[in-house]
Amino acid sequence: MAEKYQTGFDQPLLTTMYVNKKLTGISAVQTLSRLNRTAERKSQADLAVLDFVNEAEDIKEAFRPYYEEAGTLPSDPNLLYTAQSRVMSAPIISEEEMDGFAAAYFEAKEKAAGSPTRWEKLHAELYRLLSPAVIRYEALRDSDEDDEHVRIAEDFRADLNDYVRKYGFLAQIIPYRDPDLERLHLYGRYLLTRLRGHADGGVDIGDVDLSHLRVERTGEHDLSLTPEGPAVMPGFGDGSGGAGQEEEKSLLSELIEKFNAKFGTDFTEKDLARPFEEARADPKVKAAALVNDVENFGKVFDKVFADKMGDHIESIAGLGGRYFGADRSFRSNLDRSARRAAWRMIRREEGLDDAA
């Protein structure tokens, strides 16, 4: 199933969908609902989903909360202070280091004066200011003698990620005027790009070749729902940010976040989604990812990606202008980041090891 169905794809004439990946929760609703676009001479009787992976009842339950009317409770404005407290309770970052970083960041922005080349040179100094916190984090994470130290490090990373995510959302709707909150968000956003996460528990089974495939019809299902009244959806809760509860970001979101941190830009996932997903869905690109390491994969992906960036140059003017501009380092960095993300995504979908 093409990833574009989950990134804003809108084709009113779409009537049939083949599903070969696990869909749960809102992801199932957003993906399968692409079939519901109306068009002349198109009716519900024309729609069909051939699903090789999911159980009918699981899909039905994914749709249930959104069937009639869904609402959510308001978020507690104190959630951000609670999240801040959890981050600052770990022996990893200090007020003085955050002050130094914030001062250097705004000074660098002023010196760069919008020049990407100048900003990139000043950027190395910013990362140097993160080193003390990174060293403390790594010392705890790599402790062989005390599992408690490892847990503190992993909890800190999860708590910091939770804070940065909450601030990005809540600051848009609640007028926080506390400079300490903004300072931690700025510092934390950059620090997260330097912190190694925990292993995902994957198992390398080596190279696998598909020798044959059997298709078996298991039945047709009517997944109609019956009215049960409005549903209340969970809002931002105050769940602790322990390592086991960390919300994993998509690789594309991660790519954009790290890229913005490096170049001082403010591009969003939406700016890159169409050219990136179209390049990743190209048959040549998919085939290359399965038989090459990430560097050799780039010989195929980089050209296709550049073509797709050119195809969408009008709708991604800001990003496209920088990509095809005079700053070669901007383009090479974006190519490298997109190449790695696409390689990992394709191989993960095929059940292969995603380590570069």
Side-chain angles (χ1 to χ4, degrees):
M1 184 185 67
E3 292 293 330
K4 63 185 178 182
Y5 293 129
Q6 294 176 296
T7 56
F9 178 79
D10 186 11
Q11 172 49 263
L13 296 177
L14 184 67
T15 59
T16 305
M17 190 177 290
Y18 299 88
V19 180
N20 63 355
K21 66 181 288 186
K22 193 72 176 173
L23 296 174
T24 58
I26 189 63
S27 177
V29 176
Q30 289 176 331
T31 302
L32 299 178
S33 293
R34 304 298 178 194
L35 291 168
N36 288 336
R37 304 299 191 267
T38 59
E40 189 178 355
R41 298 190 302 276
K42 175 182 172 182
S43 70
Q44 285 289 314
D46 299 319
L47 307 185
V49 176
L50 182 57
D51 195 325
F52 295 97
V53 179
N54 302 279
E55 296 293 334
E57 282 302 314
D58 292 340
I59 295 297
K60 183 176 180 178
E61 289 307 309
F63 272 82
R64 186 180 299 283
Y66 309 94
Y67 177 60
E68 291 183 82
E69 178 183 336
T72 186
L73 297 174
S75 294
D76 179 359
N78 291 318
L79 284 178
L80 206 51
Y81 288 100
T82 304
Q84 178 195 33
S85 255
R86 284 200 296 263
V87 172
M88 297 306 297
S89 67
I92 294 177
I93 60 180
S94 74
E95 302 277 353
E96 294 77 15
E97 288 166 7
M98 284 196 292
D99 284 338
F101 179 87
Y105 174 85
F106 290 114
E107 184 181 347
K109 290 288 281 187
E110 190 175 338
K111 286 182 179 177
S115 166
T117 306
R118 221 175 288 149
W119 171 256
E120 192 172 358
K121 289 178 181 176
L122 295 166
H123 207 260
E125 174 65 14
L126 292 180
Y127 276 134
R128 187 185 67 78
L129 294 172
L130 297 172
S131 294
V134 174
I135 291 170
R136 292 184 206 110
Y137 171 82
E138 293 290 347
L140 289 170
R141 188 181 181 279
D142 294 337
S143 174
D144 295 327
E145 300 177 0
D146 192 347
D147 289 340
E148 179 67 12
H149 287 168
V150 178
R151 184 192 63 76
I152 290 172
E154 295 295 356
D155 283 357
F156 168 78
R157 181 174 177 272
D159 287 338
L160 184 59
N161 181 67
D162 179 63
Y163 175 84
V164 168
R165 185 170 58 91
K166 278 192 168 98
Y167 184 94
F169 174 77
L170 292 173
Q172 298 179 59
I173 56 177
I174 299 173
Y176 290 108
R177 291 185 172 84
D178 187 339
D180 288 346
L181 296 178
E182 184 177 356
R183 180 189 60 177
L184 180 56
H185 176 255
L186 173 67
Y187 183 83
R189 204 158 44 90
Y190 278 77
L191 182 58
L192 278 171
T193 66
R194 314 295 287 180
L195 303 182
R196 290 184 298 148
H198 54 74
D200 61 7
V203 177
D204 181 5
I205 60 174
D207 295 330
V208 177
D209 293 322
L210 180 66
S211 59
H212 54 277
L213 180 70
R214 184 183 72 173
V215 178
E216 179 181 351
R217 180 171 178 170
T218 59
E220 295 181 3
H221 304 274
D222 179 359
L223 302 184
S224 300
L225 289 165
T226 55
E228 295 180 359
V232 177
M233 308 304 295
F236 255 123
D238 188 26
S240 61
Q245 295 177 310
E246 181 180 2
E247 180 177 313
E248 293 296 333
K249 299 176 183 173
S250 73
L251 288 174
L252 184 55
S253 296
E254 218 170 76
L255 181 165
I256 288 292
E257 184 175 299
K258 290 181 178 178
F259 200 77
N260 283 337
K262 177 164 186 168
F263 284 92
T265 50
D266 57 358
F267 297 119
T268 67
E269 185 174 341
K270 185 177 178 182
D271 293 319
L272 189 61
R274 291 186 69 183
F276 177 81
E277 294 295 348
E278 288 182 13
R280 191 165 72 84
D282 186 283
K284 300 190 298 294
V285 168
K286 284 191 169 186
L290 301 181
V291 296
N292 288 290
D293 60 24
V294 67
E295 293 305 321
N296 286 321
F297 166 67
K299 295 175 182 176
V300 176
F301 175 81
D302 289 3
K303 183 180 184 307
V304 175
F305 180 60
D307 289 343
K308 299 302 180 184
M309 289 289 286
D311 291 345
H312 295 288
I313 189 71
E314 292 182 4
S315 60
I316 56 167
L319 180 59
R322 291 286 298 275
Y323 183 79
F324 290 108
D327 184 4
R328 292 177 177 270
S329 69
F330 184 92
R331 176 167 178 169
S332 65
N333 272 276
L334 185 55
D335 281 346
R336 184 165 57 251
S337 299
R339 174 196 316 148
R340 181 179 175 80
W343 184 83
R344 290 177 64 191
M345 284 182 177
I346 293 170
R347 291 177 67 85
R348 184 175 293 174
E349 288 167 1
E350 297 297 325
L352 300 177
D353 180 25
D354 69 349

